[in-house]
Amino acid sequence: MLHTRIRNQGGRKMSEAISVHQLQAKQPSHVTVATASLIGTAIEWYDFFLYGTAAALIFNKLFFPTFDPMMGTLLAFATYALGFIARPLGGVVFGHYGDKIGRKTMLYLTLLIMGAATAAIGFLPTYETAGIWAAILLVTCRLIQGFGLGGEWGGAVLMAVEHAPADKKGFYGSWPQLGAPLGLVLGTLVFSVVSSMLTDAQLYAWGWRIPFLFSIALVLVGLWIRFTIAESPEFQKVKDTKQEVKMPIVDAIRMYPKNILLAMGARFAENGFFYIYATFVLAYATQSLGMNKQDMLNGVLIGAAIETFTIPAFGALSDRVGRRPIYIFGAIFSALMSFPLFMLLATKNPQYAWIAIVLGLAVGHAAMYGPQASFLSELFGTKVRYSGVSLGYNLASIFAGALSPLIATGLMTAYAPATWPISLYMIALALITVVSVYFATETRKIVQG
């Protein structure tokens, strides 16, 4: 009888070992998961950034033509900001279900929502055809875009970070972060190619719709790629042991209120500076300085392209020296660039403008954005991580990314031709980030120790 029991126990252990081995065999490598997260995120950021480029260059004439150019741009940026306001709602909803059902399922839904809203913009009537209803429909599509993106970032970075080895979470966590500059490159490149092949009359008549409709093909590719990856092993462990919490968002706020606030503060400079460089600078240089639209688009394209290399470099460096030093360096560097940015733009020399944009994006922003995924993810426990990181990340977007082009344009309108108020605003964003990151936990030591 004892022999039978030992034999049964041995059989069970062997069975469990085989099951674990099979499960590990089914799990894709962290490289595959990080790549899939990157591609899907790039497509969603393409959708989101495309709107910013259009808002800076043509939406003022298509949807707000009854206002003077600067006021029309201000209104276009206001509708642009609405996408950020919807992001926390998306973060709450998708974060809740991402912590209860799983990260992977939410990533299907966010991609579908973003793609549908972007394609819909490509079919919208303009002010000339539908009057005020054109602007209302534009705002509706922008809100839906923001809702989808609000749930996208948390799921994508968690898939990469939670699949990655403990000593390389900074590096692999930076891969989905590449989706932002790649999405910006793709959106700017498509818009640039379309605008260079058409006359201004053709661009404003129908050509502007092409980049938005191109999203349909990209979304189909993204859905197919995301279908091939497995659920996060860390979340799967929570689910297998039935440790899911009933209200993840409530528990995240209750357990990690300080970390949510610090995550928000950490994003102020990163998020605010990025949209100043990617959208406001386009409008300022072309409308206030009279620079060539194509030259400025090329500058953003070059800066974002170089950033696709510097983001993973800074992410990998954070695995060696820590998240905080790299992040704080990026914020300080960005603050130091706030006055040189406008000095270089004032020369009206395209090459000098490119230098300003490249330094701002590929050094200052990349140093913050590279370690950000692992840094913010590691501030929260697995059971409420999707909710916590989405809340901190997306709430900051309202006060930083959404408002920065709007505030910069408002300051430009009020104090033109002076640019020092905008530079002081940029320095204030950097100070908030430096203080927040300084008081946050150095998560790399927790992971390694």
Side-chain angles (χ1 to χ4, degrees), residues 5-341:
R5 188 182 305 160
I6 292 171
R7 187 175 59 189
N8 289 341
Q9 287 177 349
R12 275 199 305 271
K13 287 180 181 178
M14 185 175 293
S15 234
E16 288 171 4
I18 292 171
S19 297
V20 170
H21 178 74
Q22 286 174 341
L23 181 63
Q24 289 174 341
K26 290 177 183 178
Q27 290 284 349
S29 71
H30 44 268
V31 176
T32 302
V33 173
T35 303
S37 294
L38 159 62
I39 293 172
T41 306
I43 293 169
E44 295 220 37
W45 279 116
Y46 166 83
D47 290 348
F48 201 74
F49 286 146
L50 193 60
Y51 190 104
T53 304
L57 299 176
I58 63 172
F59 276 178
N60 59 333
K61 295 181 180 179
L62 292 174
F63 293 93
F64 308 99
T66 58
F67 298 90
D68 66 77
M70 187 55 73
M71 185 55 68
T73 301
L74 198 60
L75 289 170
F77 278 145
T79 64
Y80 175 70
L82 288 173
F84 291 86
I85 294 172
R87 282 171 66 173
L89 179 59
V92 168
V93 172
F94 290 107
H96 171 82
Y97 288 104
D99 283 326
K100 287 183 72 69
I101 299 174
R103 286 57 162 131
K104 182 177 176 179
T105 303
M106 297 305 105
L107 292 181
Y108 291 139
L109 294 176
T110 57
L111 190 56
L112 277 173
I113 290 170
M114 279 288 290
T118 304
I121 291 174
F123 289 108
L124 289 183
T126 61
Y127 185 91
E128 184 180 4
T129 306
I132 190 64
W133 282 104
I136 292 172
L137 290 171
L138 182 67
V139 166
T140 302
C141 289
R142 184 59 176 173
L143 288 171
I144 296 172
Q145 271 193 329
F147 179 76
L149 191 64
E152 158 67 22
W153 185 84
V157 301
L158 291 188
M159 287 292 282
V161 170
E162 292 178 350
H163 272 277
D167 61 340
K168 294 183 179 179
K169 288 184 181 293
F171 176 62
Y172 286 109
S174 71
W175 286 33
Q177 299 291 78
L178 292 175
L182 283 176
L184 181 59
V185 167
L186 186 58
T188 305
L189 183 61
V190 171
F191 205 95
S192 180
V193 169
V194 170
S195 62
S196 65
M197 294 177 65
L198 303 174
T199 65
D200 281 350
Q202 291 172 325
L203 181 66
Y204 283 102
W206 53 268
W208 67 272
R209 300 179 185 276
I210 296 174
F212 289 94
L213 297 177
F214 180 56
S215 174
I216 297 172
L218 294 178
V219 167
L220 292 176
V221 172
L223 288 172
W224 177 78
I225 290 171
R226 286 191 167 175
F227 182 75
T228 64
I229 61 176
E231 182 57 84
S232 152
E234 292 184 27
F235 174 77
Q236 193 62 52
K237 184 178 179 181
V238 169
K239 197 168 184 180
D240 290 343
T241 54
K242 302 189 184 301
Q243 294 181 11
E244 306 102 306
V245 295
K246 290 184 178 180
M247 294 297 292
I249 192 69
V250 174
D251 282 1
I253 295 171
R254 179 179 58 82
M255 296 166 62
Y256 302 99
K258 177 185 173 183
N259 286 359
I260 290 173
L261 291 175
L262 291 177
M264 287 176 60
R267 291 212 65 224
F268 267 58
E270 173 271 311
N271 200 227
F273 274 74
F274 186 84
Y275 288 101
I276 285 174
Y277 278 99
T279 58
F280 168 74
V281 164
L282 287 177
Y284 169 70
T286 56
Q287 295 177 22
S288 297
L289 299 180
M291 295 182 69
N292 182 270
K293 177 177 63 179
Q294 194 62 48
D295 285 338
M296 295 310 299
L297 283 172
N298 289 342
V300 173
L301 194 63
I302 293 169
I306 295 175
E307 192 177 19
T308 61
F309 296 95
T310 55
I311 283 176
F314 283 119
L317 190 59
S318 78
D319 285 323
R320 298 179 64 84
V321 303
R323 322 290 189 218
R324 279 195 303 182
I326 304 301
Y327 211 119
I328 289 175
F329 161 76
I332 293 174
F333 183 91
S334 297
L336 293 175
M337 274 297 298
S338 59
F339 281 96
L341 165 65

